Amino acid sequence: MSVLETRLGQVGLPNPIMTAAGCGGAGRELGRFFDVAKLGAVVTPSIMSEARAGRPAPRLAETPSGVLNATGLQGPGIGTFLSRDLPWLNEQGARTIVSIAGNSVREYAEVAGRLADAPGVTAVEINTSCPNVEDRGLMFAAHPSAAAEVVRAVRAHTRRGVPVLAKLSADVTDVVGVAMACVDAGADGLSMINALHGMAIDTATLRPRLAGVTGGLSGPAIRPVAVRCVYQVHAALPEVPIIGMGGVRTGLDALELLLAGASAVAVGTVNFHDPSACVRILRELDGALRERGIGRLSDIVGLAHKPAGTLIRRIDPNVGVDEPIEQETLQ
Amino acid sequence: MSVLETRLGQVGLPNPIMTAAGCGGAGRELGRFFDVAKLGAVVTPSIMSEARAGRPAPRLAETPSGVLNATGLQGPGIGTFLSRDLPWLNEQGARTIVSIAGNSVREYAEVAGRLADAPGVTAVEINTSCPNVEDRGLMFAAHPSAAAEVVRAVRAHTRRGVPVLAKLSADVTDVVGVAMACVDAGADGLSMINALHGMAIDTATLRPRLAGVTGGLSGPAIRPVAVRCVYQVHAALPEVPIIGMGGVRTGLDALELLLAGASAVAVGTVNFHDPSACVRILRELDGALRERGIGRLSDIVGLAHKPAGTLIRRIDPNVGVDEPIEQETLQ
Amino acid sequence: MSGADAPVQVPGTVLTMRRTGAYHTMTLVAPGVAERFRPGQFVALAVGGEQTGMLMRRCFSVREVTSDYGGTIEVVFAVRGKGTEWLAALRPRDILDVAGPLGRPFPLPRDPVTCVLIGEAHGSAPLFPLATVLRQRECPLHFVLGGADSDHVYGARGARRAGDSVSVATEDGSLGDRGHVTGLLPGVVEDVEAAVVYACGPLETLRAVTRTAAEYGIPAQVAVEEPMPCGTGVCMACVLPVVGDDGSTHMLRSCVDGPVFRGERVRWDDIGTIPFDALGAPRAVRLGERP
Amino acid sequence: MSGADAPVQVPGTVLTMRRTGAYHTMTLVAPGVAERFRPGQFVALAVGGEQTGMLMRRCFSVREVTSDYGGTIEVVFAVRGKGTEWLAALRPRDILDVAGPLGRPFPLPRDPVTCVLIGEAHGSAPLFPLATVLRQRECPLHFVLGGADSDHVYGARGARRAGDSVSVATEDGSLGDRGHVTGLLPGVVEDVEAAVVYACGPLETLRAVTRTAAEYGIPAQVAVEEPMPCGTGVCMACVLPVVGDDGSTHMLRSCVDGPVFRGERVRWDDIGTIPFDALGAPRAVRLGERP
Ligand SMILES: Cc1cc2nc3c(=O)[nH]c(=O)nc-3n(C[C@H](O)[C@H](O)[C@H](O)COP(=O)(O)OP(=O)(O)OC[C@H]3O[C@@H](n4cnc5c(N)ncnc54)[C@H](O)[C@@H]3O)c2cc1C
Ligand SMILES: Cc1cc2nc3c(=O)[nH]c(=O)nc-3n(C[C@H](O)[C@H](O)[C@H](O)COP(=O)(O)OP(=O)(O)OC[C@H]3O[C@@H](n4cnc5c(N)ncnc54)[C@H](O)[C@@H]3O)c2cc1C
Ligand SMILES: Cc1cc2nc3c(=O)[nH]c(=O)nc-3n(C[C@H](O)[C@H](O)[C@H](O)COP(=O)(O)O)c2cc1C
Ligand SMILES: Cc1cc2nc3c(=O)[nH]c(=O)nc-3n(C[C@H](O)[C@H](O)[C@H](O)COP(=O)(O)O)c2cc1C
Ligand code: FES
Ligand code: FES
């Protein structure tokens, strides 16, 4: 299984597949379907300083190959997270990436500060798509300087060995600019993409389908946007590890993001559709790499940027693979 | 059928359904499946000053509920368009909205100038998603000032009675800002959205699936983004007519964009899937309006912005409509 | 992970499909689900096939389980939208992904007490496996069933076999009394001296059931059927304001903390809102917030 | 609009599905298509059902048409990706949307001249309706068929009935000669003193056929099978560099200007590029351009 090992800055992970923030609960829920320690990591829902009730229902709407959500970051707050959820994840032997959120730079810093001494935090992911109450509710992710300010504050409150990842939104004119600002401000890696800003209207009631009016569009529908963002940012910042996400449904989808430049891949919305998705995708990815004669995951990170004809065995789409694929490795 | 009449600034249209630029050929192709004069309008592919061979193949890739394209605006140039395509459309009795494109403000102005004396131009739509060769290839749509400059030039070269519509990209941090700049510069209406910037990688060849590497993502996958953009811009500029587009597949999808604030609806990618889509959608929309007791299309433009409980008959989603729907009107 | 009360996810094979009034009854071979099932639990089905653009699961109460073929489950459903349309078109031997059994089951009385089981429309379905278990505990059972018309009353015949009495109401009077099913409840509760009411149906019905039970000072165990896009607790879409043991209101996921709740714990009037006193409720309205 | 040579779009009903070697043969009742069909034309099928996330049409050559049931068409296909997988799972009475007949048919000789029909893999399919028409014109017919192995040679038996001779080659030698089908062509053309070659198959094969025909100074009519996402001329994805009557190169849509081209007009070496001398070719490379 060593073929699947990957790195996010200072830390190594046994494999690149993880849950996406807010799409895999705190681990317990999916833990009824598989052992969460088998994943590269579990990314938690974005944790804020206090408990949050979230938005009223309806919170989700189905769209073609996608889902719109306005859940409003319902969660228990950092206190309960540290006393209840994180210990459970540690007990399972899971690697935990804690996603954090805030409505001001101070709130991010506060949450990061409370995480600093917690055991078993593999990395901190900053959800920069929150509205900044100190700047007309504009999301931090919208402006390089605002995103950078949050990154700087969180980096300052986080222990050295723990990577800080900035999670970016694709709803910007220039995602590379935001990415660069975050890296300059100390981000050890980047996660992308968050859900796109979207909306749906119910043609029966003639009203918005979400109580929150607009929401985040996720799922396979947005995968091409995710691939494009990862590709662009990897081209500009080839040394910066990226967690790619957006519509990953199969092992080949995960491979697509790796080829674009991601070092790890998170699975979000598809968990709703298939609670075993993460382990299935991991198995499929393992098979796909073997099929292509890829010995190490790191060999293919960003490979789509390189001219055709490197060492990897490309598969003739007209023929497929001759040898039966070994599927023994996982589980 | 008067229920379906709509207006785009100075001009009235018998109904709101049209082809989207570049997705309905020059009318002739779909004309083999239905009478193009039945549509509210035919929007042409974006015409440039000279003939263009476009991009190499592969130009299209299928994605979940979407299509990625990098066709590169292949077209005959304004000369052949005026001598060959426009006369054909006029003969059919179609209303023609001419989409124009350029790589410099001068080129847009030149194409608009050559259209000025052509008979049978119902409106001019400016495709602002082209790269500006005079500004590092950045697309005009990315910056309010660049988009405004193009609009100003085209408006100056277009006859008074002919509305000029600015077609916007959703790949920006603030679509409302771009919309306002275009309207301030003289746009009589707005079209939105163009395809999202996306990419796909072939997991067999390990290379980008499009020869153009990145391309435009369109189809039902992006409809929630289109609805959101139309809704936001209509909220900010309620008097400005909008042609809504992005993933419209059914009459109810068209209704969704009208409720968000569009006065007309263009059908793009779905024409590839169903060459009769435009007339089918028109028929379905007509049925849907009747079902809901809507007497005039203009009564529902932007209705989703208004509090529940206006005069329109909302449909109980649990029950649907009792009476059989009259389907006689169209065709 | 695993454990006897953890759900399974298995490919289900359609064994039979048949019409029952306005409903479709589908029996699936779904090994592992039947043996874990307890009344009140549900299954979450993937719809649309392998390339489906419909990412949300469709949840259905289980009508019956058997141990045939390694375990079968039966669900009863109405065609409502695209997903149930797809389900209705399935034929024997078709395969679809099944996750279940999910959710908290109906709590059962320790002693053989008199139970009223009230269901509206397809909401009657989960009452049948409950009835079987209650019978084993020697509880007297009284069914109260209703629907828009006779076609939309599910299980009246089965209830006659399973229960000590059956009362039926339809909105149009085509079967039983004319009126809403909840109109019958006070009479039945009083007549049979019910000790508990079990209910399943739309929110309005459950709210009315809760009110009636409270009036008679007996508990109501109600199973909600709010939209549950995942059914497994990860999407946070199915929340209801529910008063916890600590006396404060929590936004609970009805798929994992329900679908069965004690009626009086649910804040029926506040459904569709975040009550201002709920744990973590916003202190002020924040506009334009993104998820 | 309308007109006898305009295509139709109709719901097609699956009449039969069967396996033929490595291929699936599907017969559809598709009224209107059969009566308009001319050899070399194709149909574009919608795949995935009503809620499909697959927006591109799948195009297939027509193998045979009959006037039964108001008009049937037969297509022969290999499972390749998600769309053909979906097609292969169809059963009789299933319905799918059909548009056709599409594209320019094979031009026919005025006089009864000797024709060689060469097809690789499923590319043989469109040669059969062509053979029927050529036979009516009393043209001597010689088939040259090939594929990777015997399972991938389509129609060898039918060709024996329809043609004056049949030559077969497979890559693995499991049927006929070992080697590529185009290796047989020069011999056959010489032997039968062919006046024209008709061909269908992958680009490489068509390029080789064109070269051979040129060597013998006879025309090659080749039907291409490049990806055609719409089949109706609106998506601009299926372009090939083709030399026009004006002597200059145009990027022509193979769905409406083809699929049949005169082989020597196609700039085989430049496929997948925009030749610098094509009409409207970029004067300089423009990077990062958006569509
Ligand atoms: C625990 C539970 C048990 C249920 N048991 C039954 C049953 O036994 N028989 C039955 O006919 N129905 C039952 N339902 C309702 C059933 O899930 C919906 O009718 C069905 O999901 C509608 O799907 P659709 O694709 O036809 O509609 P769509 O409108 O296309 O569905 C879109 C999404 O919204 C959800 N949704 C839409 N309407 C409802 C609704 N009324 N209730 C819940 N979710 C909805 C769907 O699950 C899906 O995720 C139950 C629901 C739940 C939560
Ligand atoms: C005019 C014409 C006639 C054809 N006739 C036949 C035939 O008689 N029998 C047969 O088996 N095949 C034929 N093909 C090829 C057939 O269309 C493809 O194999 C099929 O569309 C693949 O679809 P998929 O969903 O399985 O593959 P996917 O890879 O999922 O397809 C994705 C998209 O790419 C297109 N595509 C992918 N591969 C090909 C290909 N090799 N050629 C063309 N389009 C492709 C598909 O049409 C679709 O739009 C023909 C193609 C054309 C253009
Ligand atoms: C219901 C839901 C809740 C989410 N919650 C969070 C969150 O708490 N923090 C965050 O950074 N992203 C959140 N996301 C975004 C996902 O982590 C992910 O970036 C996005 O959905 C794209 O991936 P996907 O298409 O695989 O879902 C949420 C998405 C959904 C659908
Ligand atoms: C193949 C293709 C070609 C297009 N060409 C143009 C064009 O020439 N000019 C333009 O303004 N938009 C063009 N578009 C964008 C569409 O007009 C439309 O804005 C977009 O596809 C979203 O609508 P849809 O989802 O209905 O396709 C093109 C889209 C596609 C898929
Ligand atoms: S249905 Fe997803 S959390 Fe309950
Ligand atoms: S296949 Fe779309 S233009 Fe030819």
Side-chain angles (χ1 to χ4, degrees):
Chain A
M1 228 181 91
S2 72
V3 56
L4 290 169
E5 271 168 27
T6 191
R7 292 198 69 76
L8 289 180
Q10 307 92 307
V11 302
L13 299 176
N15 70 67
I17 303 297
M18 43 187 74
T19 55
C23 300
R28 264 203 193 81
E29 295 82 356
L30 296 182
R32 297 188 303 162
F33 293 92
F34 60 85
D35 177 2
V36 293
K38 287 205 175 153
L39 301 184
V42 170
V43 182
T44 70
S46 294
I47 311 290
M48 305 189 73
S49 60
E50 303 292 336
R52 254 170 93 102
R55 286 198 171 273
R59 288 176 167 188
L60 251 68
E62 194 175 61
T63 68
S65 298
V67 163
L68 263 177
N69 89 82
T71 51
L73 299 184
Q74 177 174 352
I78 182 74
T80 306
F81 172 76
L82 289 175
S83 65
R84 186 190 66 188
D85 299 337
L86 188 57
W88 184 87
L89 286 160
N90 289 341
E91 262 167 49
Q92 311 305 307
R95 284 149 299 279
T96 304
I97 297 180
V98 183
S99 169
I100 66 173
N103 289 118
S104 63
V105 175
R106 233 203 14 237
E107 189 176 355
Y108 282 99
E110 184 194 330
V111 178
R114 296 200 47 193
L115 277 175
D117 297 322
V121 174
T122 298
V124 174
E125 182 179 89
I126 310 173
N127 177 355
T128 63
S129 296
C130 299
N132 181 351
V133 292
E134 286 157 7
D135 185 14
R136 297 164 294 150
L138 286 179
M139 66 170 182
F140 293 96
H143 296 290
S145 58
E149 210 188 329
V150 175
V151 170
R152 215 171 287 118
V154 173
R155 185 63 274 179
H157 285 80
T158 304
R159 272 189 290 138
R160 255 178 198 291
V162 177
V164 167
L165 313 165
K167 180 161 173 182
L168 307 183
S169 163
D171 289 322
V172 294
T173 308
D174 175 21
V175 69
V176 172
V178 182
M180 285 177 159
C182 289
V183 171
D184 288 347
D188 305 286
L190 300 165
S191 299
M192 65 189 75
I193 58 175
N194 212 315
L196 298 181
H197 196 191
M199 175 177 177
I201 298 170
D202 189 318
T203 53
T205 64
L206 314 182
R207 302 281 308 147
R209 278 165 68 189
L210 298 177
V213 183
T214 65
L217 177 66
S218 61
I222 70 166
R223 197 171 64 239
V225 177
V227 173
R228 184 263 300 174
C229 288
V230 170
Y231 188 90
Q232 287 186 321
V233 171
H234 183 73
L237 299 163
E239 304 304 326
V240 177
I242 295 173
I243 304 179
M245 75 200 74
V248 172
R249 182 174 197 157
T250 67
L252 292 181
D253 299 342
L255 177 58
E256 194 180 357
L257 283 168
L258 295 168
L259 293 167
S263 295
V265 173
V267 179
T269 306
V270 166
N271 290 309
F272 308 164
H273 184 69
D274 175 6
S276 314
C278 286
V279 280
R280 174 180 51 75
I281 289 166
L282 180 55
R283 196 169 55 234
E284 290 168 352
L285 176 64
D286 188 48
L289 295 184
R290 285 162 196 274
E291 222 176 88
R292 287 158 182 74
I294 296 163
R296 279 186 318 179
L297 189 99
S298 55
D299 289 345
I300 55 146
V301 169
L303 190 71
H305 294 259
K306 310 209 173 86
T310 59
L311 285 181
I312 307 303
R313 186 189 331 155
R314 284 164 163 87
I315 294 192
D316 180 347
N318 293 301
V319 178
V321 198
D322 285 332
E323 316 99 289
I325 303 150
E326 296 155 76
Q327 290 273 17
E328 25 69 74
T329 40
L330 290 174
Q331 300 217 334
Chain B
M1 228 182 91
S2 71
V3 57
L4 288 170
E5 271 168 25
T6 191
R7 292 199 69 77
L8 288 180
Q10 307 93 308
V11 302
L13 300 176
N15 70 66
I17 303 298
M18 44 188 74
T19 54
C23 300
R28 263 201 193 82
E29 294 83 356
L30 296 182
R32 297 188 303 162
F33 292 92
F34 60 85
D35 177 2
V36 293
K38 285 204 174 153
L39 301 184
V42 171
V43 181
T44 69
S46 294
I47 312 290
M48 305 190 73
S49 60
E50 304 293 337
R52 252 171 95 101
R55 286 198 173 273
R59 289 177 166 186
L60 252 67
E62 195 174 61
T63 68
S65 297
V67 162
L68 262 178
N69 89 82
T71 51
L73 299 183
Q74 177 173 354
I78 182 75
T80 307
F81 172 76
L82 289 175
S83 65
R84 186 190 66 186
D85 299 336
L86 189 57
W88 184 87
L89 286 160
N90 290 340
E91 263 167 46
Q92 311 305 306
R95 284 150 299 281
T96 303
I97 296 180
V98 183
S99 170
I100 67 173
N103 289 120
S104 64
V105 175
R106 233 201 15 239
E107 188 176 356
Y108 281 99
E110 183 193 331
V111 178
R114 298 204 39 199
L115 278 175
D117 298 322
V121 175
T122 298
V124 174
E125 183 179 89
I126 311 173
N127 177 356
T128 63
S129 297
C130 298
N132 183 351
V133 292
E134 286 157 5
D135 185 14
R136 297 164 294 150
L138 285 179
M139 68 171 179
F140 293 96
H143 296 289
S145 57
E149 208 188 333
V150 176
V151 170
R152 214 172 287 117
V154 173
R155 184 63 275 181
H157 285 80
T158 305
R159 274 189 290 138
R160 253 177 197 291
V162 177
V164 168
L165 312 165
K167 180 161 174 181
L168 307 184
S169 163
D171 289 322
V172 294
T173 308
D174 175 21
V175 70
V176 172
V178 183
M180 286 178 159
C182 289
V183 170
D184 288 346
D188 305 286
L190 301 164
S191 299
M192 66 188 77
I193 56 173
N194 212 315
L196 299 181
H197 195 191
M199 175 176 178
I201 298 169
D202 190 318
T203 53
T205 65
L206 313 183
R207 300 282 308 147
R209 278 165 68 189
L210 299 177
V213 183
T214 65
L217 176 66
S218 61
I222 71 165
R223 197 169 65 238
V225 177
V227 173
R228 185 264 299 176
C229 288
V230 170
Y231 188 90
Q232 286 186 320
V233 170
H234 183 73
L237 300 164
E239 304 304 324
V240 177
I242 295 173
I243 304 179
M245 75 201 74
V248 171
R249 182 175 196 156
T250 68
L252 291 181
D253 298 343
L255 177 58
E256 194 181 357
L257 282 168
L258 295 167
L259 293 167
S263 295
V265 173
V267 180
T269 306
V270 166
N271 290 309
F272 308 165
H273 183 68
D274 174 7
S276 313
C278 286
V279 281
R280 175 181 52 75
I281 289 167
L282 181 55
R283 195 169 58 234
E284 290 168 351
L285 176 64
D286 188 47
L289 295 183
R290 285 163 196 274
E291 222 175 88
R292 286 157 182 75
I294 296 163
R296 281 185 317 180
L297 188 99
S298 55
D299 289 346
I300 54 146
V301 169
L303 191 71
H305 295 258
K306 309 207 173 89
T310 58
L311 286 180
I312 308 304
R313 185 186 333 150
R314 282 165 164 88
I315 293 189
D316 180 347
N318 292 302
V319 178
V321 200
D322 286 332
E323 316 99 288
I325 303 149
E326 298 155 73
Q327 291 273 19
E328 26 70 70
T329 41
L330 290 174
Q331 304 217 334
Chain C
M1 173 159 192
S2 71
D5 68 342
V8 297
Q9 185 185 1
V10 291
T13 308
V14 178
L15 192 63
T16 60
M17 284 285 291
R18 56 182 204 279
R19 291 295 298 255
T20 323
Y23 304 104
H24 299 258
T25 301
M26 176 166 71
T27 308
L28 292 168
V29 178
V33 181
E35 66 202 68
R36 288 172 171 78
F37 171 77
R38 285 188 285 154
Q41 290 186 303
F42 63 96
V43 290
L45 306 181
V47 296
E50 230 174 285
Q51 297 301 319
T52 186
M54 297 184 270
L55 295 177
M56 293 183 173
R57 290 249 162 184
R58 271 56 176 177
C59 294
F60 299 93
S61 305
V62 174
R63 159 73 181 80
E64 193 175 23
V65 299
T66 76
S67 56
D68 303 351
Y69 309 102
T72 74
I73 56 172
E74 187 174 290
V75 298
V76 174
F77 65 92
V79 170
R80 201 187 147 78
K82 298 159 199 162
T84 45
E85 216 168 80
W86 183 86
L87 283 175
L90 290 176
R91 311 185 212 170
R93 286 199 308 282
D94 285 340
I95 289 175
L96 72 170
D97 192 89
V98 180
L102 298 166
R104 286 183 197 273
F106 285 114
L108 301 172
R110 249 156 308 180
D111 307 311
V113 297
T114 302
C115 304
V116 171
L117 280 56
I118 176 167
E120 182 174 352
H122 58 254
S124 325
L127 302 179
F128 288 93
L130 173 64
T132 306
V133 177
L134 291 174
R135 262 289 180 245
Q136 285 161 0
R137 304 195 168 204
E138 296 174 5
C139 298
L141 298 182
H142 301 273
F143 279 93
V144 184
L145 305 179
D149 55 34
S150 61
D151 251 18
H152 287 85
V153 175
Y154 176 78
R157 200 175 312 163
R160 250 166 248 133
R161 274 197 303 276
D164 296 296
S165 79
V166 184
S167 314
V168 175
T170 52
E171 312 272 354
D172 70 350
S174 56
L175 191 71
D177 289 13
R178 178 191 294 270
H180 195 255
V181 63
T182 49
L184 300 176
L185 188 62
V188 176
V189 167
E190 221 172 300
D191 284 357
V192 306
E193 295 181 21
V196 55
V197 182
Y198 291 97
C200 185
L203 290 180
E204 275 313 308
T205 303
L206 301 183
R207 180 220 294 261
V209 168
T210 301
R211 203 184 305 118
T212 300
E215 277 160 19
Y216 288 90
I218 57 173
Q221 297 289 353
V222 306
V224 301
E225 293 193 347
E226 285 306 275
M228 298 185 191
C230 74
T232 55
V234 285
C235 79
M236 304 301 284
C238 61
V239 293
L240 293 178
V242 177
V243 179
D245 291 334
D246 59 359
S248 61
T249 297
H250 301 257
M251 298 305 296
L252 291 190
R253 291 165 296 179
S254 47
C255 66
V256 286
D257 298 313
V260 178
F261 291 103
R262 272 185 78 119
E264 80 273 17
R265 291 290 183 89
V266 179
R267 292 181 58 172
W268 302 103
D269 293 337
D270 298 318
I271 285 176
T273 72
I274 303 293
F276 73 95
D277 57 345
L279 190 76
R283 267 155 269 165
V285 183
R286 296 188 250 219
L287 283 174
E289 217 171 25
R290 300 279 300 284
Chain D
M1 171 159 192
S2 68
D5 69 340
V8 297
Q9 187 186 0
V10 291
T13 308
V14 177
L15 192 64
T16 60
M17 284 287 292
R18 57 181 203 280
R19 291 296 298 255
T20 322
Y23 304 103
H24 298 259
T25 300
M26 175 167 70
T27 308
L28 293 168
V29 177
V33 181
E35 66 201 69
R36 289 173 170 79
F37 171 78
R38 286 187 285 155
Q41 291 186 300
F42 63 95
V43 290
L45 306 180
V47 295
E50 231 175 281
Q51 298 300 318
T52 186
M54 296 184 271
L55 295 176
M56 293 182 173
R57 291 250 163 184
R58 269 58 176 176
C59 294
F60 299 93
S61 305
V62 174
R63 159 74 182 78
E64 191 175 25
V65 300
T66 77
S67 57
D68 303 349
Y69 309 101
T72 72
I73 56 173
E74 187 173 291
V75 298
V76 175
F77 65 92
V79 170
R80 202 186 145 79
K82 299 160 196 161
T84 44
E85 214 168 82
W86 183 86
L87 283 175
L90 290 176
R91 310 185 214 170
R93 288 200 306 286
D94 284 340
I95 288 173
L96 72 170
D97 193 89
V98 180
L102 298 165
R104 287 183 197 272
F106 285 114
L108 301 172
R110 248 156 307 183
D111 308 310
V113 297
T114 301
C115 304
V116 170
L117 280 56
I118 175 167
E120 181 174 353
H122 58 254
S124 325
L127 302 179
F128 288 94
L130 173 67
T132 306
V133 176
L134 291 174
R135 262 288 180 246
Q136 284 160 5
R137 304 195 169 202
E138 295 173 5
C139 297
L141 299 182
H142 301 273
F143 279 93
V144 183
L145 306 179
D149 55 35
S150 63
D151 250 17
H152 286 85
V153 175
Y154 177 78
R157 199 175 314 163
R160 252 165 246 135
R161 274 196 303 276
D164 296 294
S165 79
V166 184
S167 315
V168 175
T170 51
E171 312 273 356
D172 69 350
S174 56
L175 192 71
D177 290 14
R178 179 191 294 268
H180 196 253
V181 62
T182 49
L184 300 176
L185 189 61
V188 175
V189 166
E190 221 171 302
D191 284 358
V192 305
E193 296 181 21
V196 54
V197 181
Y198 292 95
C200 186
L203 290 180
E204 274 314 307
T205 304
L206 300 183
R207 180 221 294 259
V209 168
T210 301
R211 203 184 305 118
T212 301
E215 279 161 17
Y216 290 90
I218 58 174
Q221 298 290 352
V222 307
V224 301
E225 292 192 347
E226 285 307 273
M228 299 185 190
C230 74
T232 55
V234 286
C235 79
M236 305 301 283
C238 60
V239 293
L240 293 179
V242 178
V243 179
D245 292 334
D246 58 359
S248 62
T249 297
H250 301 257
M251 297 306 296
L252 292 189
R253 289 165 297 180
S254 48
C255 66
V256 287
D257 298 312
V260 178
F261 292 102
R262 272 184 78 117
E264 79 273 18
R265 292 291 183 89
V266 179
R267 292 181 57 173
W268 302 103
D269 292 338
D270 297 318
I271 285 177
T273 73
I274 303 292
F276 73 96
D277 57 345
L279 190 75
R283 266 155 270 166
V285 182
R286 297 187 248 219
L287 280 175
E289 216 170 25
R290 300 279 301 282

